[in-house]
Amino acid sequence: MAIKPTWRFFWKLMKTNVSSAVSLKLNFIIEVLFMAVNNVLLFVSWAIVFYMFREINGWNVNHFILMTGFFMIGYAVYSFCFRGIGDVLAGIIDRGELDTFILQPKNILLNVAGSRSHPSAMGDLIMGIAFVIWSGFTTWQTAGLVLICALTAFLTFFAIGVFAGSLAFWLKDAEGWCGQVINSLLTISTRPGSIYTGNVRLALTFLIPAGALTFLPVELVSNPKWSTALTLIGVTTAFFMFSVWFFYRGLKRYESGNSFGVRG
């Protein structure tokens, strides 16, 4: 696959999506405002808990601010660039509409992923950056670690979207399943990472990628260790590669005619 033409195509997809969204200026502004209000309300609810108890398993409110910042940044980049994965992939597979993308001389996964964008996620990105800075853990010494954590957060969201959407290759009417998987991850990842201990923590690190959105990035920036860095990068890379493999493995089933979504 030629990298330069592929990314040129993706860039044009983004320009088209953004132009379409910004053309409806009032809707765009309202979406940004509601997204910001939702984020603030979620943050305030947990900030009150930290105000009452000061610490939760060693975390104070600053740790939670940092975690929320990484979560917002990862989700914003995912929503802005690749929301087609989480929003439509399962439905496209269910209805047998993936043929349209297969017939195009473009990377199938990138084409589907970039087919939908939420430009209003720029509000999340701005708030996420502000939260990461506000946490007090971001310095010139930790700037590189902050960038790594932001990247792994985005890759985690992308990977879970690909995995959830690809379930449609194996399950009938999988749109509901896709939504449940993504919403479950969001629910787990908006709680302070310090509440997860023992076997639950191990499961969220090595089985479910929520650890890459909660405790691992915070621990890496607040208390840098090689073991934490290698764990975060390793589990993120592994799940990302698995999700891409899972998509293309399912695509072979689709190409063989095993499409559940054919309507008659």
Side-chain angles (χ1 to χ4, degrees), residues 37-200:
V37 170
N38 180 67
N39 291 334
V40 170
L41 290 176
L42 179 63
F43 169 75
V44 168
S45 63
W46 278 103
I48 293 173
V49 174
F50 276 103
Y51 177 78
M52 294 174 60
F53 296 98
R54 301 300 177 184
E55 285 191 359
I56 300 177
N57 289 340
W59 276 32
N60 57 36
V61 69
N62 286 15
H63 291 89
F64 182 66
I65 291 172
L66 181 63
M67 188 203 82
T68 304
F70 285 135
F71 179 90
M72 288 182 180
I73 291 172
Y75 188 73
V77 176
Y78 160 72
S79 294
F80 184 83
C81 297
F82 299 108
R83 194 57 183 268
I85 287 293
D87 278 6
V88 301
L89 177 59
I92 288 174
I93 297 170
D94 269 342
R95 294 186 293 272
E97 297 173 358
L98 198 59
D99 299 29
T100 304
F101 296 93
I102 293 175
L103 294 175
Q104 296 179 29
K106 308 293 181 183
N107 179 276
I108 299 171
L109 182 57
L110 185 63
N111 197 354
V112 177
S115 64
R116 182 171 298 186
S117 172
H118 284 196
S120 57
M122 290 303 295
D124 275 342
L125 180 61
I126 294 171
M127 289 186 66
I129 294 173
F131 270 51
V132 169
I133 296 173
W134 180 29
S135 70
F137 290 110
T138 304
T139 64
W140 288 112
Q141 288 74 26
T142 62
L145 298 178
V146 168
L147 290 176
I148 291 173
C149 292
L151 177 61
T152 54
F154 154 67
L155 290 176
T156 299
F157 275 115
F158 182 87
I160 195 68
V162 173
F163 172 77
S166 299
L167 290 174
F169 288 121
W170 282 269
L171 302 174
K172 186 176 181 180
D173 298 325
E175 281 187 275
W177 287 94
C178 178
Q180 289 181 26
V181 170
I182 294 176
N183 288 334
S184 296
L185 178 70
L186 295 181
T187 300
I188 294 171
S189 303
T190 51
R191 274 55 175 169
S194 59
I195 68 175
Y196 303 117
T197 59
N199 292 332
V200 174

Side-chain angles (χ1 to χ4, degrees), residues 201-215:
R201 180 185 171 95
L202 288 175
L204 294 180
T205 301
F206 298 106
L207 297 180
I208 305 170
L213 299 172
T214 52
F215 46 83

